[in-house]
Amino acid sequence: MSENSTAEEIIICQDVCKWFGDFQALKDCSLRVKAQEVVVIIGPSGSGKSTFIRCINRLEEHQAGDIIVDGIPLTRDVRNIEQIRSEAGMVFQQFNLFPHLTVMENITLAPIQVRKMKKEEAQETAMGLLNRVGIPEQADKYPGQLSGGQQQRVAIARSLAMSPKIMLFDEPTSALDPEMIKEVLDVMQELAETGMTMLVVTHEMGFAREVADRIVFMDGGEIMEVGTPEHFFTNAQHERTKLFLSQIL
Amino acid sequence: MTTVAGTPSDRSVLPITERYTVLGWVRRNLFSDLFNSLLTLVALAFIVFIARLLLRWAFFTAEWGVIPANFNLIMRGQYPATEAWRLWLVIHLLGGVVGITWRLISGQFSGAARILIAIPFVLMLIPFFSMGTRLNLLIAAAAAGAGFYIAGHMPIQRRGRAAAYLLLAYLVVMLILLRGIGAEEGPMPPVQPILWGGLLLSLLLAFFGITLSFPLGVLLALGRQSKLPAIRVISVIYIEFIRGVPLISLLFMGQVMLQLFLPDGFPLVDRVLRALVAITLFSAAYTAENVRGGLQSISRGQYEAAQALGLSTYQSTMHIILPQALRAVIPVLVGQFISLFKDTTLVALVGIFDLLGIARTILANPDWLGTQQEVYAIIAVLFWIFSYSMSYASRRIEQRLGVGER
């Protein structure tokens, strides 16, 4: 790691710890992600994967250690937090689209409000993004009128509308019916190919194997093992990694 | 699988017993079995019994003479008759404003619009109205039609905003007309609010009570959820204190005790205004709790999605949280506003002559002794008309916003 210059390391987490009351959810988690890298985080449920990526845009507050995103240290300073949030898009398991706004309004709200973009310009960008995720014809519908897969693709477009440097995915396909998982994974794969830096928590091993540059295995709040997909699926070192993979594959 | 021999059942046609006919409906809903038939008959007998009593009273016993004789009093209290033209002007303008805003917001002349435009014409049928009154109602209807027509031929870009400005301007003009302006001998001499009365005052108290308490209540609800302890504590104390006392005690506070707290020589605020302040403060606390219910119905994911997009707390409150929270509580809020409208009658107890206060003065007049039933019946009908209109309007708004679908 040390030979890489920090300039191209866009996410730096050093000894991050997080407690929920007395329960320690994250134990000294350290991870460096380079620009344009796709990192997939896997692990059993309750292992702290979601908590970890939610710390990176401060949806959860870490209590010890350092997180630096694109050179901005994540502190209690609200300006830093807002800056990091507008550079890191997030996609949630439950989509979290705004049900009272149309698809178009969902996507253009943040660019207009936060980036102070002109409405027409924001709508143009949004149409481009909807084309990219393959549902331009749904622009004027409400989220409740779309299928789960379509909603998740809108959520991805909504995040991309802020032109983020990083995308965080928190189990993006876990709430989807099986036949809709692929359409979302396809969009994510296309995104990875265009060079987006991505941090993905998922149970989709096929996606991890094909798209990830590196895979992180977490268990019990610790990062147990980091490596390339080949390393992981053929030559996992840690006992718990092997156990987990044997259960899931 | 058993089919009746000789009658091959066609499964693509609705069975005849399931088709909608009047008789079929009656049979299925009123006489489906012995017990239901019995219940239907008993209920029917009860309805006929009550209706006969009511109709016999309304057409043969009741002395309706008290209503026409005191009609002006019921409508506008002691507002001077020489200045009544100002009230009519307020109504004419209301017609125009309703016509214009209807065109701007809804765009079409349908359903509810027909009901609205019919109101003046129905009122014209009231037998004891003078020709002048009927003419004034006709002018209001004409103003509404003209407003609707003109607004349709104007190139207005931001229709919602234009309607909002128009309503605001109307309120200002209305208050100036009611209150009067200039010298005592001028064309529009001041009329002190304490002289406003009857239906006029009840509607004004309710309208301003609702429109002023609503924003205050929303702020208090947000304050109660604030992360800043000072704001949260103040909001909680305010809400819990106000909800802990009856409205009538606040009204008395305003009328009787306010002077004790103010320094000597402090100009006393008008009594009607003091009552309005009490009503507003009271209603705001209830609005706050209702809105809080809406805020709590918003899932954490909505806050998180707004945060993750980089929206500030203010932006996410205005664009994400409040719109959803308020939609969720429209039925509750309207219920509260209706009850506020009826609660305004409490001002009669502190010597302000709203609809109920006027009723009491009429009944105290020796000429009209023993007409309680007639007077209170009319007061009740008036309250019902306006309360029901509010409830009807709220259901239409819910439908338009698609509450429960999105």
Side-chain angles (χ1 to χ4, degrees), chain B residues 47-336:
Chain B
I47 291 169
V48 169
F49 175 70
I50 295 288
R52 269 188 53 160
L53 276 183
L54 262 178
L55 292 176
R56 193 184 293 162
W57 173 77
F59 285 103
F60 299 110
T61 322
E63 300 280 351
W64 291 114
V66 62
I67 303 302
N70 295 289
F71 188 72
N72 287 338
L73 211 51
I74 293 173
M75 286 296 131
R76 58 175 147 90
Q78 292 163 310
Y79 204 93
T82 50
E83 304 301 322
W85 62 272
R86 279 149 59 172
L87 301 182
W88 277 120
L89 190 52
V90 165
I91 291 175
H92 300 159
L93 289 175
L94 179 66
V97 167
V98 168
I100 294 172
T101 42
W102 193 274
R103 186 58 169 262
L104 290 180
I105 292 172
S106 163
Q108 357 168 356
F109 186 77
S110 62
R114 291 206 179 91
I115 300 177
L116 274 180
I117 198 75
I119 291 173
F121 294 106
V122 171
L123 290 177
M124 283 167 76
L125 297 176
I126 294 178
F128 61 84
F129 275 4
S130 68
M131 281 325 281
T133 304
R134 291 197 174 123
L135 188 65
N136 274 315
L137 287 168
L138 197 62
I139 295 175
F148 188 83
Y149 180 79
I150 292 169
H153 288 76
M154 282 207 289
I156 296 171
Q157 287 298 321
R158 302 184 153 194
R159 294 172 155 253
R161 188 167 297 193
Y165 284 138
L166 180 70
L167 286 176
L168 212 62
Y170 173 72
L171 288 183
V172 174
V173 172
M174 176 185 84
L175 283 178
I176 292 174
L177 278 171
L178 287 174
R179 180 68 172 74
I181 199 162
E184 207 63 57
E185 301 80 26
M188 266 186 20
V191 178
Q192 296 305 324
I194 195 66
L195 295 177
W196 308 358
L199 183 62
L200 168 71
L201 184 65
S202 290
L203 290 180
L204 285 176
L205 281 177
F207 177 80
F208 284 103
I210 290 167
T211 44
L212 296 175
S213 69
F214 178 68
L216 186 59
V218 171
L219 282 180
L220 282 167
L222 292 171
R224 194 166 186 167
Q225 301 227 318
S226 169
K227 282 183 211 135
L228 306 171
I231 293 178
R232 193 170 59 235
V233 168
I234 291 172
S235 304
V236 170
I237 291 176
Y238 176 88
I239 292 168
E240 295 305 334
F241 173 75
I242 297 283
R243 293 208 312 159
V245 297
L247 174 55
I248 187 69
S249 67
L250 286 182
L251 287 169
F252 273 117
M253 279 274 284
Q255 300 299 322
V256 187
M257 295 183 64
L258 200 59
Q259 299 140 357
L260 302 179
F261 297 120
L262 295 173
D264 283 344
F266 191 88
L268 263 182
V269 190
D270 180 88
R271 283 177 54 203
V272 174
L273 201 58
R274 279 186 269 162
L276 177 61
V277 169
I279 290 171
T280 304
L281 296 181
F282 182 78
S283 178
Y286 284 87
T287 305
E289 283 303 274
N290 288 338
V291 172
R292 187 166 70 103
L295 290 174
Q296 283 172 343
S297 73
I298 309 294
S299 75
R300 217 178 123 203
Q302 293 287 307
Y303 290 91
E304 288 181 350
Q307 281 178 357
L309 284 168
L311 293 171
S312 67
T313 309
Y314 174 78
Q315 287 167 336
S316 78
T317 305
M318 293 308 285
H319 296 284
I320 308 299
I321 307 304
L322 269 188
Q324 294 185 62
L326 292 180
R327 263 173 220 213
V329 295
I330 289 174
V332 195
L333 282 181
V334 172
Q336 188 212 325

Side-chain angles (χ1 to χ4, degrees), chain A residues 54 57 59-60 82 85-86 88 90 92 96-101 109-110 113-114 116 142 158-159 162, chain B residues 299-313 315 318-324 327 405-406:
Chain A
R54 285 161 60 85
N57 67 350
L59 288 184
E60 304 287 355
E82 284 183 359
R85 280 177 179 162
S86 62
M90 184 170 229
F92 299 86
N96 293 345
L97 293 176
F98 306 129
H100 63 300
L101 300 178
L109 179 68
Q113 295 297 327
V114 181
K116 307 295 173 204
Y142 285 88
R158 179 176 70 176
S159 291
M162 289 294 282
Chain B
S299 75
R300 217 178 123 203
Q302 293 287 307
Y303 290 91
E304 288 181 350
Q307 281 178 357
L309 284 168
L311 293 171
S312 67
T313 309
Q315 287 167 336
M318 293 308 285
H319 296 284
I320 308 299
I321 307 304
L322 269 188
Q324 294 185 62
R327 263 173 220 213
E405 289 164 42
R406 283 164 204 163

